[in-house]
Amino acid sequence: MKKVAWLLIAVGTLVSFSSTLAQTELVFWAGAEDPGMLSIFEQYEGEHPDVKLTLEIVPYNNYSQKIIAAAQTGTLPDVLLLQPKVPATFAGLGVLAPVTDLVEELGGETEFYARDLGFNTLNGDIWGVPFYVYPHVLFYRQDMFDAAGLTSVPETWEEFSTAAAALTEGDRYGYLAFFNDPVAHTLHQWMATNDADTFDADLNIVFNSPNTVETLDFLKSMWDAGVMPPGATTYNMGDARVAFANNQGAMIISSTSFLNVLKDQSPDLFATLGVAPVPHNKGDATYYAFRSIGLPKDGPNQAAAEDFIRWLYNPDNLISYFVQADLGYMPMTKSLVNGDAYWSADAIAPYEPLIRPALEAAANGFMPGLNAVNNPFAGLFETQDVYRGTLMDVIVNGTSPSEAAATAAKKMQEIMDQ
Amino acid sequence: MTTNKMTFKKRRSRLSSSQYESVLGFSLFLPALLVVTVIIVKPLVESLWLSLHKRNLLSMNPDPTFVGLDNYVWMFQSDWFWGILATTLLITVVVVNLQLWFAIGLAVLLDFDFPGQGIVRTLLITPWAIPVVVTAFMWRWMYDPSFGPLNYWLRSAGLIDQPIAWLGLKATALPAVMGVLLWKGLPFMLLAMIAGLQQVPNEMREAARVDGANPWQEFWHIVLPSMRQIILLMVILRSIFLFNHFDLIYLLTGGGPADATRVLSIQAVNLGFDSFRFGRAAAITSFMFLVLVVVSVVYFRIARMNEAKA
Amino acid sequence: MRMTFRNPLYWLRFAALFVSVVIIGYPIYWLVISSLKPIGTIFAGSVPAALQNLSWLNYKVILTDARFWRFFLNSSVVSVSATLVTVFLSVFAGYSLSRLRFFGADTFGQIVLFVYMVPKVLLAIPLYVWMFEIGLLNSYAGLIIVHVAEGLPFCLWMLRGYFEVIPKALEDAAMIDGCSRLGALVRIILPLTGSAIVAAAMFTFITSWNDFLFAFMLVNKVEYQTLPVGLTFMFSSGEATMWGELMAGSVITSIPVVLLFLFLQRALVGGLTAGAVKG
């Protein structure tokens, strides 16, 4: 009996061992939950029983630091979602594997937008496959507009501040700005529409240009005019969004991912919700954010990971993802954006009027510090609080915009020199 | 029992009792020592070492390179250091004092039997029980101008016209943060003062009363001096804690607005985890530690001299 | 000081106390009430903390979220383990410091305070790197051992103070009767130091349960995250701050500690007393 038992155990172990040998496990890092991804994994595993996909959530705060730390001890995942400024920084550090060939395979410039690819390129190679985008747009309350007698949506800066003033009443504010987020969204949202940038094509710092100063001035004047809630200096984007969803203001500028929040928490709001591009001044780029998919350098499962990505970018599978992903996360491939399949999907169709203009505006995307030329410094300016610090300096300290911009430029230079 | 006796006698015959004591003592102490060494002493030494090096994980050369006291020089010469140091010290001194006096006052108030004493005590302890994250979120909201109770009650009472963004204005942010720190730390101080109060010998108080002292004199000349030891201890403990404190301030304001509430610990974390300049971050934290050591030594020496005099 | 309720000063005292309690307690009252209000009603301009529109909605959302229970479990495992280990270690260490002569005993005793002076942020970086290298990041063990180290200085110092107050004669008598030292410790001393141990346990538990910095730094992955950081992740991620649920989660997170304190507060004060005197 004993012998038989041992034999059975041995065979059993061998069988399970070999089956795990045959199975490849791919670990996928994302910073937040992604229901779309989970269902895609299921689908993929169904079609490829020899692969097991695991989603590991590594919260986005300090995401970069965690990736660097993982790189140092070789514990990077097989596939990872990358935040916008990251590809450049990490490529420089040798953390990622280039995906230039993969992107070519998937369609290169025919499928992807030049700007998006540009933001993922460093030193001639592409380091991330553009995955989903969520541009920043103006959300407004049609009912409040009607009540204030405003017949059109602001399209220029002047129209915006006039509208904001008209919409401010009592404890309800015209513009729900927020200054206390680490990324300094508010600054970038407006800089994009004023042709103001951090670097020029030769990597000289042009942050303290007149256009930037003008942007800071614009924000300061609205702050002084009282069209923003007094708590704006303590709000991050999440706080401002909640305020908007609860009738505390008439306008807010945020990314399209806000639509998902509204869908879950205040679906009634959709009846009077309007979406428009951010009012422009001297420029008309759209500040946006996106995620790319990246591969670690010398990853052991690189071939399997690439297979997964190829499969994912098959338009049918991609649509399947987007239909189940959070509303407001939108595709970055031309076949989906220009085709019908995505827009006619049940989950997307009702919201088309709201998100289509945003997506089309994203073709002219703006990424702080990376527009002119890709570089590893833009991310640093953000983590070292230069952008937010400048904004706070102007709003809270009352420093003159030109002075604040000049100080910021100096700080940026210091950071670059280190 | 018999087995015990036999084993005991056997062991005893091999070592002398003082050697046995020594070994036993050390081995009982060892686990604790080990944990403290590995988790506290080793990183401390590493930090001190790291502060003498340059280590930038984002540069082309991420290995540490020796730079001597450069990081410290950079720190002392920077435009932010002295301001942040001042903020840190201000918070420490002000909050500890406020905590101390409020706690003593409350302890004296509580020093009598009344129904529901247990419940009241528990209520007064709750700020300590509540996690720091909770405190931060709670107070961020309390201070909010649009929907926070503080502004609501102040406006209702007619004390202010417009809501004030307590955590968003330069002038009010620091006091607001100090208020939260005071609220959070009061229970611990209160517990200690209650304990200290109970230690005051009753005979002395009775004697003073017999001699005709009024409650105030009794308090100032008998009670307070008897509590000297615990007051001294709590002041130094709380000062250390506040000087080093990170969690609550970071969660409340992140150091803002515009660096109004930035303290040394936050600066160190920013340098380390956001900018990846670990050598410099280590310089700041090492400085914090060394300052505390020096100040404590001085403090204790002065206290000892005062006690010798008294 | 004994006062009867006939004495007007009694009532004055009572009033002053009442006011203090209200001021200190209002935020907590408001926290609880807010947690019972759906987010929309909080903004509605009604009196904050007024008792209207109460509902359990926020609690329902949290208690049905599997992630919350995971965080709760993680916190429980870490805090209970850390408390047990710390008490265990500090009882033995405190006893040995107070009773037994061994090499360096005096120095170690004095070092305790210096150890307390080390800023947590100073430890964070080297600990992160070290735990990373030995694979203790994202694990219970890593966090537990850090919490133990956090609680040890205070507990050790307090228990040692307590032990020193107990007369040696008691153990000597027991040892003459044939008890070993350890036996004397367990049978005679420990029962007498009940309240100090309770104080030490409570202190460690609260510190561990409420810890934010180390959980934040040393755990990146969601499955091992503890409640304080987990709450932030769930409801304050920057996408939208979910105040109602956050308040409800906060209340739930605070309950264990408050309950513990309610039952053990007398012992806690007693423990601090004895420890403080000797320190």
Side-chain angles (χ1 to χ4, degrees):
Chain A
M1 257 334 279
K2 246 193 175 178
K3 263 201 176 161
V4 176
W6 278 116
L7 196 64
L8 280 175
I9 293 175
V11 170
T13 322
L14 209 63
V15 168
S16 54
F17 189 54
S18 59
S19 67
T20 41
L21 268 187
Q23 218 189 31
T24 330
E25 185 178 345
L26 290 179
V27 174
F28 192 105
W29 268 21
E33 271 135 15
D34 196 337
M37 206 39 117
L38 287 174
S39 71
I40 283 289
F41 283 179
E42 259 181 60
Q43 209 182 321
Y44 190 74
E45 283 172 354
E47 292 178 27
H48 303 83
D50 56 330
V51 179
K52 180 165 159 5
L53 290 160
T54 320
L55 179 68
E56 267 180 14
I57 299 181
V58 179
Y60 277 128
N61 58 292
N62 295 333
Y63 194 62
S64 306
Q65 168 232 332
K66 291 165 190 166
I67 294 183
I68 291 183
Q72 288 189 325
T73 39
T75 49
L76 278 173
D78 300 298
V79 196
L80 56 158
L81 270 189
L82 299 171
Q83 290 175 303
K85 297 166 202 83
V86 160
T89 314
F90 288 162
L93 290 176
V95 165
L96 299 173
V99 291
T100 327
D101 295 330
L102 188 57
V103 166
E104 266 313 302
E105 259 187 68
L106 296 173
E109 296 224 349
T110 350
E111 252 306 72
F112 296 103
Y113 291 90
R115 287 202 74 76
D116 302 337
L117 286 181
F119 289 133
N120 278 298
T121 310
L122 184 71
N123 298 334
D125 268 317
I126 302 179
W127 304 89
V129 188
F131 187 31
Y132 61 77
V133 65
Y134 41 111
H136 283 243
V137 290
L138 169 64
F139 293 88
Y140 63 93
R141 291 286 297 264
Q142 188 63 58
D143 53 341
M144 293 184 187
F145 267 57
D146 293 337
L150 293 167
T151 47
S152 64
V153 186
E155 286 178 12
T156 66
W157 281 18
E158 224 185 280
E159 288 171 15
F160 183 81
S161 44
T162 321
L167 290 160
T168 305
E169 200 188 307
D171 281 336
R172 199 190 65 202
Y173 297 92
Y175 173 31
L176 287 173
F178 51 94
F179 296 116
N180 199 25
D181 64 302
V183 185
H185 288 304
T186 308
L187 180 60
H188 301 308
Q189 288 164 350
W190 293 104
M191 274 175 73
T193 58
N194 201 29
D195 207 20
D197 210 343
T198 313
F199 286 113
D200 68 8
D202 298 316
L203 218 60
N204 294 320
I205 293 178
V206 294
F207 183 69
N208 50 336
S209 66
N211 285 351
T212 313
V213 175
E214 196 181 354
T215 314
L216 288 167
D217 240 336
F218 176 57
L219 288 169
K220 182 75 165 52
S221 63
M222 283 199 287
W223 169 255
D224 290 334
V227 303
M228 301 173 178
T233 47
T234 58
Y235 288 168
N236 58 29
M237 191 158 74
D239 301 325
R241 283 178 169 183
V242 169
F244 182 79
N246 286 282
N247 311 315
Q248 300 293 300
M251 299 192 283
I252 185 178
I253 301 182
S254 181
S255 70
T256 49
S257 64
F258 188 25
L259 288 168
N260 197 54
V261 173
L262 289 173
K263 193 179 77 168
D264 283 339
Q265 299 198 347
S266 323
D268 318 325
L269 217 58
F270 279 102
T272 62
L273 185 70
V275 170
V278 179
H280 59 263
N281 197 31
K282 295 200 176 118
D284 59 0
T286 303
Y287 172 57
Y288 68 176
F290 60 84
R291 297 274 183 264
S292 306
I293 300 184
L295 295 171
K297 186 168 181 190
D298 302 327
N301 297 317
Q302 185 153 341
E306 286 182 356
D307 281 338
F308 171 67
I309 297 178
R310 283 189 198 98
W311 177 92
L312 179 63
Y313 276 80
N314 179 320
D316 296 321
N317 298 327
L318 209 52
I319 291 186
S320 173
Y321 169 77
F322 279 109
V323 155
Q324 294 175 84
D326 289 347
L327 180 64
Y329 288 139
M330 303 187 288
M332 295 174 92
T333 52
K334 291 180 187 164
S335 55
L336 257 66
V337 174
N338 298 329
D340 281 322
Y342 173 67
W343 298 110
S344 53
D346 288 334
I348 307 294
Y351 303 103
E352 188 186 337
L354 292 176
I355 58 181
R356 189 157 200 163
L359 192 50
E360 285 167 358
N364 186 10
F366 175 99
M367 273 264 93
L370 299 176
N371 302 300
V373 54
N374 220 356
N375 64 80
F377 301 109
L380 280 179
F381 296 162
E382 179 183 304
T383 53
Q384 296 203 34
D385 237 25
V386 182
Y387 292 118
R388 171 167 66 169
T390 313
L391 200 53
M392 291 294 227
D393 209 10
V394 169
I395 303 282
V396 174
N397 285 341
T399 315
S400 85
S402 47
E403 220 185 286
T407 321
K410 220 177 64 162
K411 259 191 231 168
M412 290 178 178
Q413 192 62 56
E414 274 172 27
I415 294 175
M416 284 176 67
D417 291 336
Q418 278 167 5
Chain B
M1 245 359 257
T2 340
T3 338
N4 271 354
K5 261 194 196 161
M6 277 164 41
T7 341
F8 184 64
K9 285 207 178 108
K10 244 199 202 161
R11 215 189 272 154
R12 270 199 119 187
S13 64
R14 273 207 233 132
L15 298 166
S16 77
S17 80
S18 68
Q19 275 178 318
Y20 173 69
E21 225 180 72
S22 213
V23 169
L24 181 67
F26 198 70
S27 42
L28 283 182
F29 189 72
L30 194 62
L33 180 67
L34 222 57
V35 171
V36 169
T37 307
V38 164
I39 303 291
I40 301 184
V41 177
K42 178 166 145 325
L44 174 62
V45 170
E46 280 172 2
S47 273
L48 289 170
W49 177 87
L50 190 60
S51 71
L52 299 173
H53 291 70
K54 184 169 157 162
R55 185 153 205 222
N56 181 358
L57 281 185
L58 277 189
S59 76
M60 288 300 119
N61 174 26
D63 291 321
T65 39
F66 185 73
V67 291
L69 292 174
D70 270 8
N71 289 331
Y72 290 97
V73 170
W74 166 84
M75 187 174 75
F76 288 125
Q77 284 181 343
S78 66
D79 52 3
W80 50 262
F81 176 72
W82 299 101
I84 295 184
L85 179 63
T87 310
T88 317
L89 285 173
L90 190 64
I91 289 182
T92 308
V93 170
V94 171
V95 176
V96 170
N97 270 291
L98 287 178
Q99 280 180 349
L100 182 66
W101 296 112
F102 275 115
I104 292 182
L106 264 178
V108 167
L109 273 182
L110 276 171
D111 187 29
F112 69 119
D113 290 315
F114 59 94
Q117 194 172 27
I119 307 277
V120 170
R121 273 206 193 152
T122 310
L123 247 156
L124 289 174
I125 299 304
T126 340
W128 180 41
I130 293 183
V132 179
V133 236
V134 172
T135 312
F137 282 126
M138 203 169 102
W139 278 96
R140 260 180 62 199
W141 200 1
M142 286 211 67
Y143 281 136
D144 188 278
S146 299
F147 47 93
L150 184 62
N151 276 297
Y152 180 85
W153 292 118
L154 285 175
R155 282 168 98 184
S156 306
L159 287 171
I160 56 175
D161 263 334
Q162 291 298 330
I164 301 180
W166 296 95
L167 290 174
L169 294 174
K170 239 188 148 196
T172 57
L174 198 55
V177 167
M178 290 204 261
V180 183
L181 286 170
L182 169 63
W183 182 85
K184 183 88 174 72
L186 195 58
F188 194 66
M189 188 71 98
L190 180 62
L191 277 180
M193 293 301 124
I194 291 179
L197 207 56
Q198 288 178 352
Q199 288 304 114
V200 177
N202 261 327
E203 313 86 58
M204 284 181 75
R205 297 173 80 173
E206 297 274 346
R209 256 175 269 148
V210 161
D211 277 350
N214 61 41
W216 178 252
Q217 285 171 320
E218 181 191 329
F219 173 75
W220 196 252
H221 293 284
I222 306 290
V223 174
L224 215 49
S226 311
M227 292 174 66
R228 172 191 258 118
Q229 207 173 15
I230 195 165
I231 290 181
L232 180 77
L233 186 70
M234 288 311 284
V235 165
I236 199 89
L237 281 184
R238 288 281 98 185
S239 301
I240 294 176
F241 178 79
L242 277 167
F243 189 76
N244 288 338
H245 194 63
F246 171 78
D247 298 12
L248 190 52
I249 307 177
Y250 181 72
L251 286 168
L252 269 176
T253 59
D259 295 347
T261 59
R262 188 168 277 259
V263 291
L264 285 171
S265 52
I266 295 185
Q267 183 71 350
V269 168
N270 282 152
L271 269 177
F273 284 93
D274 298 326
S275 316
F276 302 101
R277 309 299 312 268
F278 286 110
R280 292 190 172 169
I284 298 185
T285 53
S286 306
F287 169 77
M288 288 166 72
F289 174 69
L290 293 169
V291 160
L292 284 177
V293 170
V294 167
V295 169
S296 311
V297 167
V298 168
Y299 195 77
F300 277 124
R301 212 143 274 183
I302 296 184
R304 215 157 288 167
M305 282 199 297
N306 276 340
E307 239 178 80
K309 268 191 245 162
Chain C
M1 224 206 274
R2 216 159 286 173
M3 258 188 211
T4 63
F5 54 84
R6 278 181 235 281
N7 190 329
L9 272 181
Y10 179 95
W11 292 106
L12 191 64
R13 232 173 166 168
F14 208 75
L17 204 54
F18 184 74
V19 169
S20 314
V21 169
V22 164
I23 294 182
I24 293 184
Y26 179 80
I28 296 171
Y29 163 74
W30 174 84
L31 168 70
V32 174
I33 298 293
S34 304
S35 71
L36 292 168
K37 289 187 177 177
I39 183 71
T41 59
I42 293 174
F43 280 94
S46 57
V47 177
L51 291 162
Q52 335 159 286
N53 296 321
L54 299 182
S55 94
W56 291 102
L57 183 67
N58 297 327
Y59 286 96
K60 257 196 248 161
V61 169
I62 290 203
L63 294 174
T64 52
D65 193 328
R67 295 174 301 171
F68 180 78
W69 289 111
R70 178 81 208 184
F71 295 142
F72 196 89
L73 173 72
N74 294 340
S75 272
S76 305
V77 169
V78 169
S79 296
V80 169
S81 312
T83 306
L84 289 176
V85 172
T86 310
V87 168
F88 196 72
L89 290 185
S90 48
V91 160
F92 284 135
Y95 178 76
S96 106
L97 273 182
S98 73
R99 285 287 189 273
L100 305 170
R101 296 285 145 257
F102 60 91
F103 177 73
D106 290 320
T107 356
F108 288 137
Q110 284 166 350
I111 289 184
V112 171
L113 192 61
F114 288 108
V115 163
Y116 188 69
M117 282 185 219
V118 179
K120 289 207 293 192
V121 289
L122 184 152
L123 300 175
I125 300 163
L127 276 179
Y128 179 81
V129 172
W130 177 64
M131 292 213 167
F132 191 46
E133 286 166 2
I134 64 176
L136 272 184
L137 278 188
N138 294 315
S139 70
Y140 287 142
L143 215 45
I144 292 175
I145 198 173
V146 170
H147 287 174
V148 168
E150 236 190 303
L152 264 181
F154 184 77
C155 292
L156 213 148
W157 162 82
M158 188 172 66
L159 280 173
R160 184 249 213 129
Y162 216 84
F163 283 137
E164 280 179 0
V165 174
I166 298 178
K168 279 197 123 186
L170 283 172
E171 295 152 77
D172 291 340
M175 287 199 292
I176 289 174
D177 276 348
C179 225
S180 71
R181 253 202 191 275
L182 283 179
L185 171 62
V186 173
R187 274 176 246 251
I188 311 287
I189 310 289
L190 280 189
L192 286 176
T193 59
S195 67
I197 292 183
V198 165
M202 268 226 75
F203 177 80
T204 313
F205 186 82
I206 295 182
T207 314
S208 168
W209 184 263
N210 293 347
D211 166 62
F212 183 81
L213 180 69
F214 290 121
F216 183 64
M217 297 273 174
L218 302 176
V219 178
N220 325 352
K221 306 224 180 112
V222 166
E223 323 119 64
Y224 281 100
Q225 200 45 275
T226 55
L227 266 178
V229 184
L231 272 184
T232 325
F233 170 71
M234 280 204 288
F235 301 119
S236 176
S237 57
E239 281 291 302
T241 319
M242 326 254 286
W243 288 110
E245 289 87 338
L246 198 54
M247 295 295 122
S250 302
V251 169
I252 299 180
T253 310
S254 311
I255 287 179
V257 179
V258 173
L259 277 182
L260 260 183
F261 190 77
L262 189 62
F263 292 130
L264 297 170
Q265 46 105 2
R266 231 165 258 282
L268 188 62
V269 176
L272 276 179
T273 310
V277 168
K278 250 322 180 155

